[in-house]
Amino acid sequence: MALIQPRTLKGFRDYLPATMIPRERIMETARQTFRSFGFAPIDTPTLEHLEILTGKGSEETDRQLYQFVDAGKRPVGMRFDLTVPLARFAAQHIGQLGTPFKRYQIAPVWRGENPQAGRYREFYQCDFDTIGTESVLADIEAVTVIDSLLRSIGIEAFTISINNRAILSGLLESLDLADQTTPILRSLDKLGKIGREATAAEMVSAAEIRPDQADQVLQLAECGGGADEVFAKLPAIIGDNATAVNGATRLREIYEGAIASGVAPERMKIDVSIARGLDYYTGVIFETTLDELPSIGSVCSGGRYDNLAGLYTKEHLPGIGASLGLDRLLAALETLDRLSSTSKPCPVFIPYFDKDRRDDYLKLATNLRRAGIGTEVYPEPRKLKAQLKYADAHGFAYALIAGGNEWADGKVQVKTLAEKASEEIEYTHDAPEKLIARLSETENPTRNQSSQTAPPV
Amino acid sequence: MALIQPRTLKGFRDYLPATMIPRERIMETARQTFRSFGFAPIDTPTLEHLEILTGKGSEETDRQLYQFVDAGKRPVGMRFDLTVPLARFAAQHIGQLGTPFKRYQIAPVWRGENPQAGRYREFYQCDFDTIGTESVLADIEAVTVIDSLLRSIGIEAFTISINNRAILSGLLESLDLADQTTPILRSLDKLGKIGREATAAEMVSAAEIRPDQADQVLQLAECGGGADEVFAKLPAIIGDNATAVNGATRLREIYEGAIASGVAPERMKIDVSIARGLDYYTGVIFETTLDELPSIGSVCSGGRYDNLAGLYTKEHLPGIGASLGLDRLLAALETLDRLSSTSKPCPVFIPYFDKDRRDDYLKLATNLRRAGIGTEVYPEPRKLKAQLKYADAHGFAYALIAGGNEWADGKVQVKTLAEKASEEIEYTHDAPEKLIARLSETENPTRNQSSQTAPPV
């Protein structure tokens, strides 16, 4: 019989252990962080009625949608994000769930885009949202979640840029330019690339505004510096428009509330130039960049929106949420050489080389596991050298070597594989404590590190 | 604009928090258990080339396959299990990964079956396998994993039924009935329902065997009792056929190795009557039933197979694996009233009722989270009574009540919600220790309970 060629579809990929281990660890850290703030998990189906999905994203997502007619003749589609399913879910269940409703969802989505470097047709999104409240406390909390999430993942050098869309909206309102918001934002987006003069010229031509109006908009976008400096300069730029003034007041409240919640001031940047898409967000918006690799873009973004589920329900559901860019973050950690290269999720390896001692190896492994120390036993009695090669190749931290002599002496040899160092530690099945204590000295990747060790705020 | 009706597809469902919390907890426990034995996570795409999937399961799975032609004109299908993708994955990557290869995968699969009570078109599978070794140690380990998994989930009363398919194969070989294996197994499957006499009659007619042969087969199937009893009776039934004798020896080795590994003998049953499907398994097979709810069927099943990926590669890949029936187990836990009814993943709730103390509530929450105690703050300053209603409805363990008086006195009121009891505990932001100690007394669902507390084996 001819063999079928084993291969994945274009734009799809397998995750091998060395890639999947850090991926899974970050997802678990995210779950634990979200839960620790009271966000609860939900899940929604991969497939939705097509009408739920089409026209809810951009023209691009419509074009990229995986859609077909199922065996029951129903037009169906595979979800392209987690926001549209959340809107459908909220419209359907919010009466039962009540508000405020805080949820997270970590799940794959599908987009048939042309695969490029680092872009795939199946990828994970990792979202959290608080729905049904306009309270500033929810905004403060979103900043705190992002801070806590990145630090729990082990990242210390990052910057959360925060803005409030209401500030620019209010300024444009006062300049009588509310209708030109979209072309103005489109021009503003180029400020970093083409410079002030060209941006101003484009605003004047494309958005049909006066040069002095363009200048005022640019003054706002360029209002940089530390948070106190920005808050000091803003009043002169935005004048007395109520929307803008309230927007600035709320932005300051979020910043100060985040500091009270333990977010270090130096990790936040008040950046009144960021916009994040044109239509969806209406209030505070966030972007998060890694200080050591800002070029990779934002790894956690989000903001406040006015009404989540208007297409499916008359219930007005304001909310705030953000999304961790899992793949981007993993790519960054790889570039920064922060991912361990292990393909094994447990630290201890026990070679099985004295074939008469199988039950002793099994008991040793069980005793370590019961103490929370993940342990693999090689399945076949082979030469020690071959087994140690396997241990090295897979990145175990320790090999525990015990042959007839060691068992007779009540000892095992603990080999630290990276350092090629060995020491003998007392061990019997009835008294495993010393060995457990020795092996617990190191970080144990089978345990989760949920609690942060920072001092009280 | 007309509203779109928010609804899920027939046979699909949303998971709300109260259902998703225990579901996610079991999946995490499974991951931690698998990892603690050296099984590493992998992931494979939802969509595969259609030719990878068709003809690999049963006629039924072929008929139920979600399949379509993608935008690039490729026939594709959504995976219907995790075994076929694993076979494709192993054929493709085993050269790089090496053997033994130990993996787990927890992921959804899709089957367009007619939805019945408790059956859905999208459901999770939760599989672990050791590939590339025929060693008995891998078989022993599979039993140990199942035992460890159920106990980590919090189930103590269960029975792992173990058989070795080689025993019946050898007996049929010695009776010259190897070619009639399939109809014989089909008849044997009915033994429990239709009784000995009818089963024997059916074997004689359907499988065309002699009554004395049917009697010998039934003697094996009825060889019950404790493990020692079964092992004592077997030799007389199976005679000197080498396949059967080796099969019985290996079965005993697995049983004794599992005991050495810490599995309680009373949790194992040597049951030479179980078969688990007709073609796939060739060696040891397992089923696991809950002693308090055996009628729900096996919650964790698996076995040893000869060659995983023969359709995709010439490399011979024997292995052993099993699958946790997540949905069935959750249904059982619900029936047994073992699921907590909380819709919140953290134990502590802080009402925000003294509106001037927002920052104090935020600081209190941060200090508890940093000590590993998940804490939600209500987002809006409302009447205490309404907030306590919210806390009760969501199943929080504690509400921490602090108004102006409490803050002035350096105390918070700890309300244990289920018992409607309150006590005052000292707390200031600089000295949170007493409160943390009080709240740490209880089980904390935001932490994972990975290590088992059993004594050494």
Side-chain angles (χ1 to χ4, degrees):
Chain A
M1 202 179 64
L3 294 178
I4 298 167
Q5 191 200 342
R7 61 195 173 121
T8 52
L9 282 159
K10 188 181 163 196
F12 289 79
R13 60 179 157 174
D14 287 326
Y15 290 98
L16 273 62
T19 316
M20 196 63 194
I21 288 170
R23 193 175 174 75
E24 215 175 50
R25 195 174 303 154
I26 290 180
M27 288 195 269
E28 275 190 22
T29 303
R31 285 185 204 106
Q32 286 176 15
T33 302
F34 297 151
R35 282 185 212 142
S36 76
F37 284 83
F39 293 88
I42 68 161
D43 205 8
T44 62
T46 293
L47 295 175
E48 297 269 0
H49 284 286
L50 193 59
E51 64 172 7
I52 300 288
L53 301 177
T54 45
K56 309 309 175 305
S58 60
E59 272 177 43
E60 202 185 6
T61 54
D62 273 7
R63 204 172 51 240
Q64 295 172 344
L65 199 63
Y66 277 92
Q67 51 174 291
F68 58 98
V69 175
D70 76 4
K73 312 278 186 218
R74 283 170 289 258
V76 300
M78 296 170 77
R79 64 175 170 236
F80 63 87
D81 74 2
L82 301 179
T83 303
V84 174
L86 173 63
R88 196 267 306 145
F89 177 100
Q92 204 170 330
H93 304 295
I94 203 73
Q96 177 185 348
L97 297 166
T99 58
F101 175 58
K102 298 167 76 173
R103 85 85 175 82
Y104 66 90
Q105 186 173 9
I106 303 177
V109 301
W110 295 268
R111 295 183 191 177
E113 58 190 331
N114 271 331
Q116 313 158 357
R119 301 290 283 259
Y120 290 89
R121 290 177 170 172
E122 176 177 58
F123 55 97
Y124 269 73
Q125 291 198 337
C126 180
D127 289 12
F128 69 95
D129 285 82
T130 300
I131 297 164
T133 176
E134 290 174 341
S135 165
V136 69
L137 192 141
D139 296 4
I140 294 167
E141 188 172 82
V143 180
T144 315
V145 170
I146 296 172
D147 176 73
S148 176
L149 179 55
L150 288 177
R151 293 199 295 129
S152 299
I153 289 169
I155 299 168
E156 292 293 332
F158 59 87
T159 301
I160 308 174
S161 296
I162 313 174
N163 188 15
N164 189 344
R165 283 282 296 264
I167 298 174
L168 180 65
S169 298
L171 177 67
L172 294 181
E173 215 176 275
S174 72
L175 295 171
D176 212 13
L177 295 175
D179 291 346
Q180 283 105 304
T181 303
T182 304
I184 289 172
L185 282 175
R186 207 168 279 146
S187 304
L188 261 188
D189 252 1
K190 302 181 189 161
L191 179 59
K193 275 185 210 147
I194 64 176
R196 186 182 221 277
E197 211 163 327
T199 306
E202 193 185 296
M203 273 192 218
V204 169
S205 65
E208 297 179 18
I209 68 176
R210 293 196 314 267
D212 65 302
Q213 290 175 320
D215 183 65
Q216 250 187 295
V217 172
L218 283 167
Q219 269 187 41
L220 177 64
E222 291 173 336
C223 175
D228 291 335
E229 207 177 327
V230 173
F231 290 125
K233 284 195 242 167
L234 271 179
I237 301 170
I238 59 180
D240 57 3
N241 173 277
T243 307
V245 170
N246 290 340
T249 303
R250 184 167 178 121
L251 185 56
R252 182 166 206 150
E253 220 180 331
I254 294 167
Y255 173 74
E256 288 171 354
I259 292 172
S261 299
V263 180
E266 61 272 20
R267 288 207 177 99
M268 290 184 282
K269 183 183 173 190
I270 300 301
D271 185 345
V272 291
S273 75
I274 58 169
R276 286 218 68 72
L278 304 180
D279 301 316
Y280 186 59
Y281 294 119
T282 51
V284 59
I285 46 182
F286 315 108
E287 290 184 356
T288 311
T289 47
L290 304 182
D291 297 348
E292 297 166 85
L293 204 66
S295 61
I296 204 162
S298 175
V299 297
C300 193
S301 311
R304 173 165 281 286
Y305 40 86
D306 249 356
N307 193 13
L308 175 71
L311 292 163
Y312 313 106
T313 178
K314 286 181 183 164
E315 188 161 355
H316 180 71
L317 292 172
I320 181 163
S323 186
L324 179 71
L326 185 63
D327 292 290
R328 191 175 279 187
L329 183 64
L330 278 161
L333 292 172
E334 196 170 359
T335 304
L336 295 171
D337 205 18
R338 291 279 179 73
L339 297 181
S340 72
S341 61
T342 178
S343 55
K344 277 294 175 181
C346 65
V348 172
F349 175 70
I350 301 179
Y352 170 19
F353 66 100
D354 183 343
K355 72 176 168 40
D356 301 329
R357 294 288 185 167
R358 192 193 64 206
D359 285 358
D360 287 311
Y361 297 129
L362 289 171
K363 282 182 190 180
L364 169 57
T366 297
N367 283 338
L368 295 179
R369 283 185 207 116
R370 287 184 176 175
I373 299 166
T375 303
E376 172 169 337
V377 184
Y378 197 82
E380 294 172 11
R382 286 238 182 119
K383 289 217 169 109
L384 183 58
K385 203 174 158 185
Q387 295 189 51
L388 289 176
K389 214 174 136 186
Y390 171 92
D392 273 328
H394 284 89
F396 287 97
Y398 301 106
L400 302 192
I401 297 167
N405 292 340
E406 282 89 354
W407 288 117
D409 292 353
K411 286 177 179 167
V412 302
Q413 217 189 104
V414 176
K415 205 173 160 76
T416 310
L417 290 165
E419 295 159 23
K420 301 192 183 308
S422 279
E423 57 184 306
E424 285 199 330
I425 307 280
E426 283 175 44
Y427 172 86
T428 63
H429 298 317
D430 294 329
E433 297 78 14
K434 285 201 179 159
L435 181 64
I436 287 166
R438 170 66 186 85
L439 296 173
S440 300
E441 283 169 23
T442 187
E443 189 194 323
N444 179 351
T446 61
R447 283 202 198 123
N448 288 297
Q449 291 93 39
S450 69
S451 56
Q452 297 167 13
T453 48
V457 285
Chain B
M1 202 178 61
L3 294 179
I4 298 167
Q5 190 200 344
R7 61 194 175 124
T8 53
L9 282 159
K10 188 181 164 197
F12 289 78
R13 61 179 154 174
D14 288 325
Y15 290 98
L16 274 61
T19 316
M20 195 62 193
I21 288 170
R23 192 174 176 76
E24 213 174 54
R25 196 175 302 155
I26 290 181
M27 289 195 268
E28 275 190 22
T29 303
R31 284 186 206 107
Q32 285 175 16
T33 302
F34 297 151
R35 282 185 213 141
S36 76
F37 284 83
F39 293 88
I42 68 161
D43 205 7
T44 62
T46 293
L47 295 175
E48 297 268 0
H49 285 285
L50 191 60
E51 63 172 7
I52 300 289
L53 301 177
T54 45
K56 309 311 176 303
S58 60
E59 272 176 43
E60 201 186 8
T61 53
D62 273 6
R63 203 172 52 241
Q64 295 172 345
L65 198 63
Y66 277 92
Q67 51 174 290
F68 59 99
V69 175
D70 76 3
K73 312 279 186 218
R74 283 170 291 257
V76 300
M78 296 170 78
R79 64 175 171 236
F80 62 87
D81 74 2
L82 302 178
T83 303
V84 173
L86 173 64
R88 196 267 307 147
F89 177 99
Q92 203 169 331
H93 305 294
I94 202 73
Q96 177 186 345
L97 296 166
T99 58
F101 174 60
K102 297 167 76 172
R103 84 86 175 82
Y104 66 90
Q105 185 173 7
I106 302 176
V109 302
W110 294 267
R111 294 183 191 177
E113 58 190 333
N114 271 332
Q116 313 159 355
R119 299 291 284 258
Y120 289 90
R121 291 178 170 171
E122 175 177 59
F123 55 97
Y124 269 71
Q125 292 198 338
C126 179
D127 289 13
F128 70 95
D129 285 82
T130 300
I131 298 163
T133 176
E134 291 174 341
S135 165
V136 71
L137 192 141
D139 297 3
I140 295 167
E141 187 172 84
V143 181
T144 316
V145 171
I146 295 172
D147 175 72
S148 177
L149 180 55
L150 288 177
R151 292 201 292 129
S152 298
I153 288 169
I155 300 168
E156 293 294 331
F158 58 89
T159 301
I160 308 175
S161 296
I162 314 175
N163 187 15
N164 189 344
R165 282 283 295 265
I167 299 173
L168 180 65
S169 299
L171 177 67
L172 295 181
E173 213 177 276
S174 72
L175 296 170
D176 213 14
L177 295 174
D179 291 347
Q180 282 105 303
T181 302
T182 303
I184 290 171
L185 281 174
R186 207 168 280 147
S187 303
L188 261 187
D189 252 3
K190 303 180 186 161
L191 179 60
K193 275 186 209 147
I194 65 176
R196 187 182 220 277
E197 212 164 325
T199 305
E202 192 185 299
M203 273 192 219
V204 171
S205 65
E208 296 179 17
I209 69 176
R210 295 195 314 268
D212 65 302
Q213 291 174 321
D215 184 64
Q216 253 188 291
V217 171
L218 283 167
Q219 269 187 43
L220 177 65
E222 293 173 335
C223 175
D228 290 336
E229 206 178 328
V230 173
F231 289 125
K233 287 194 243 165
L234 270 179
I237 301 169
I238 59 180
D240 59 1
N241 174 277
T243 305
V245 170
N246 290 339
T249 305
R250 185 169 178 120
L251 185 56
R252 183 167 205 148
E253 221 180 330
I254 294 167
Y255 174 73
E256 287 172 353
I259 293 172
S261 299
V263 180
E266 62 272 20
R267 287 207 178 100
M268 289 184 282
K269 181 184 176 193
I270 300 301
D271 184 346
V272 291
S273 74
I274 59 167
R276 287 219 66 71
L278 303 180
D279 302 315
Y280 186 61
Y281 296 118
T282 51
V284 59
I285 46 182
F286 315 108
E287 289 183 357
T288 311
T289 47
L290 303 182
D291 296 349
E292 296 166 87
L293 203 66
S295 60
I296 204 163
S298 176
V299 296
C300 193
S301 312
R304 174 165 282 285
Y305 41 86
D306 250 357
N307 193 13
L308 175 71
L311 292 163
Y312 313 106
T313 176
K314 286 181 182 164
E315 188 160 355
H316 180 71
L317 292 172
I320 181 164
S323 186
L324 179 71
L326 185 63
D327 292 290
R328 191 175 278 188
L329 183 64
L330 278 161
L333 291 173
E334 195 170 0
T335 304
L336 295 171
D337 204 19
R338 290 279 180 72
L339 296 181
S340 72
S341 62
T342 177
S343 56
K344 277 294 175 180
C346 64
V348 173
F349 176 69
I350 301 179
Y352 170 19
F353 66 101
D354 182 344
K355 72 177 169 37
D356 300 329
R357 294 288 185 166
R358 192 192 64 207
D359 285 358
D360 286 312
Y361 297 129
L362 290 171
K363 282 183 191 181
L364 170 58
T366 297
N367 282 338
L368 295 179
R369 283 184 207 118
R370 287 185 177 176
I373 299 165
T375 303
E376 172 170 336
V377 184
Y378 197 82
E380 294 171 11
R382 288 239 182 118
K383 287 216 169 110
L384 183 58
K385 203 174 159 186
Q387 296 189 52
L388 289 177
K389 213 174 138 189
Y390 171 91
D392 274 328
H394 283 88
F396 286 97
Y398 300 106
L400 301 192
I401 296 167
N405 291 342
E406 282 89 355
W407 287 118
D409 292 353
K411 286 175 180 170
V412 302
Q413 216 189 106
V414 177
K415 204 173 162 78
T416 308
L417 291 165
E419 295 159 24
K420 302 194 182 306
S422 279
E423 57 183 308
E424 285 200 332
I425 306 279
E426 283 174 45
Y427 172 85
T428 63
H429 298 318
D430 294 329
E433 297 79 14
K434 285 200 179 162
L435 181 64
I436 287 165
R438 171 65 187 84
L439 296 173
S440 300
E441 282 169 24
T442 186
E443 190 195 323
N444 178 351
T446 61
R447 280 199 202 128
N448 288 296
Q449 291 94 39
S450 68
S451 54
Q452 298 166 11
T453 47
V457 285

